[in-house]
Amino acid sequence: MRTSPVWNPQQYNKYADERGRPFADLVGRIRAEEPTTVVDLGCGPGNLTATLLDRWPTAQVQGIDSSPQMIETAQPLANERLTFEVGDLYEWTAPAESIDVIVTNATLQWIPEQLKLLPGFVRALKPGGWLAIQIPGNGNAPSHAILRELAATEPYAEYAKDKSLRPDVPGPAEYVAALSAEGCTVDAWETTYSHLLEGDNAVLEWVKGTGARPVLQSLPDELRERFEAEYGARLNEAYPRREFGTLLPFRRIFAVAQKKES
């Protein structure tokens, strides 16, 4: 299994409503009527995965995530129709044509050359099955640009420079091309959400749960607090708190594909 950050489900869920909206928008475009087997690849703490039980009342739902911490948080949600297990997307395989719906939400952006995984996902689908993908597309936003710039300066660069880098992510057109080549009918789009976040230094609190986590974990204890203070100060300038909250524009990319009937 790949080495990945140690995720903190509590930090991640500080803005659970905002993080959950793209998942709902993604699942809303899946037209599966009565699937029997649904898999959520990269299920995180499981709260969104659990909503699939109501979406498809007769389905067996499985959540898979590479983070033991996330799966531990998800386990109390498990029941006779919902299970969770630790697993890596690189190593995940399923019997051919065994799954009705695969959802992967805010996960593939961490994986270089993620498009190479798509044929395996499609093979796992039954004819007429559905694959739904959502990834952040905000790598050029100030939150990430400031992170990369600061991580590349001393005294942080020795530990953190490489941890701030992210793979390039596909756009909608690339998903259309890749999934169409696998015999799917594809609906792909992008949306920029305008999240209004509550709390002090809200964007710092947001990225501490996701994009900044690998950098912060790479730093020795004596540098981590200093880095967080500098990073937070610059984020406060880029995303000032107003009387109505802190505005965080956040671009996301979606693709929903249906495998053609044999």
Side-chain angles (χ1 to χ4, degrees), residues 153-172:
T153 63
E154 297 300 339
Y156 312 118
E158 176 184 354
Y159 308 96
K161 182 178 180 180
D162 292 342
K163 299 296 184 181
S164 68
L165 303 177
R166 293 287 176 273
D168 292 334
V169 298

Side-chain angles (χ1 to χ4, degrees), residues 5 23 80 103 195 201 209 218 223 256:
F23 183 89
E80 66 278 3
V103 178
H195 295 308
N201 215 335
S218 72
L223 288 180
V256 175

Side-chain angles (χ1 to χ4, degrees), residues 157-224:
E158 176 184 354
Y159 308 96
K161 182 178 180 180
D162 292 342
K163 299 296 184 181
S164 68
L165 303 177
R166 293 287 176 273
D168 292 334
V169 298
E174 292 171 275
Y175 277 121
V176 170
L179 290 167
S180 295
E182 298 302 318
C184 294
T185 301
V186 189
D187 176 18
W189 71 99
E190 65 178 73
T191 297
T192 297
Y193 295 88
S194 295
H195 295 308
L196 280 177
L197 306 182
E198 298 180 353
D200 294 330
N201 215 335
V203 176
L204 176 63
E205 292 302 309
W206 176 287
V207 297
K208 280 168 60 177
T210 51
R213 195 153 188 84
V215 170
L216 293 173
Q217 287 184 353
S218 72
L219 294 170
D221 292 343
E222 63 272 16
L223 288 180
R224 187 179 301 114

Side-chain angles (χ1 to χ4, degrees), residues 97-249:
E97 300 187 352
S98 62
I99 299 172
D100 294 291
V101 177
I102 296 173
V103 178
T104 178
N105 179 68
T107 299
L108 294 180
Q109 74 276 7
W110 297 100
I111 300 177
E113 301 179 336
Q114 58 158 290
L115 296 179
K116 292 184 178 180
L117 298 179
L118 302 186
F121 296 165
V122 174
R123 282 194 297 272
L125 294 173
K126 298 175 184 176
W130 295 80
L131 170 63
I133 298 166
Q134 185 274 125
I135 59 170
N138 63 333
N140 293 324
S143 56
H144 289 60
I146 293 169
L147 181 69
R148 289 191 296 268
E149 181 179 336
L150 189 57
T153 63
E154 297 300 339
Y156 312 118
E158 176 184 354
Y159 308 96
K161 182 178 180 180
D162 292 342
K163 299 296 184 181
S164 68
L165 303 177
R166 293 287 176 273
D168 292 334
V169 298
E174 292 171 275
Y175 277 121
V176 170
L179 290 167
S180 295
E182 298 302 318
C184 294
T185 301
V186 189
D187 176 18
W189 71 99
E190 65 178 73
T191 297
T192 297
Y193 295 88
S194 295
H195 295 308
L196 280 177
L197 306 182
E198 298 180 353
D200 294 330
N201 215 335
V203 176
L204 176 63
E205 292 302 309
W206 176 287
V207 297
K208 280 168 60 177
T210 51
R213 195 153 188 84
V215 170
L216 293 173
Q217 287 184 353
S218 72
L219 294 170
D221 292 343
E222 63 272 16
L223 288 180
R224 187 179 301 114
E225 185 174 347
R226 174 179 166 185
F227 181 95
E228 189 172 315
E230 292 185 38
Y231 184 40
R234 294 182 62 177
L235 288 176
N236 262 335
E237 293 180 3
Y239 301 93
R241 185 178 184 179
R242 310 293 189 187
E243 65 275 9
F244 48 78
T246 301
L247 179 63
L248 173 63

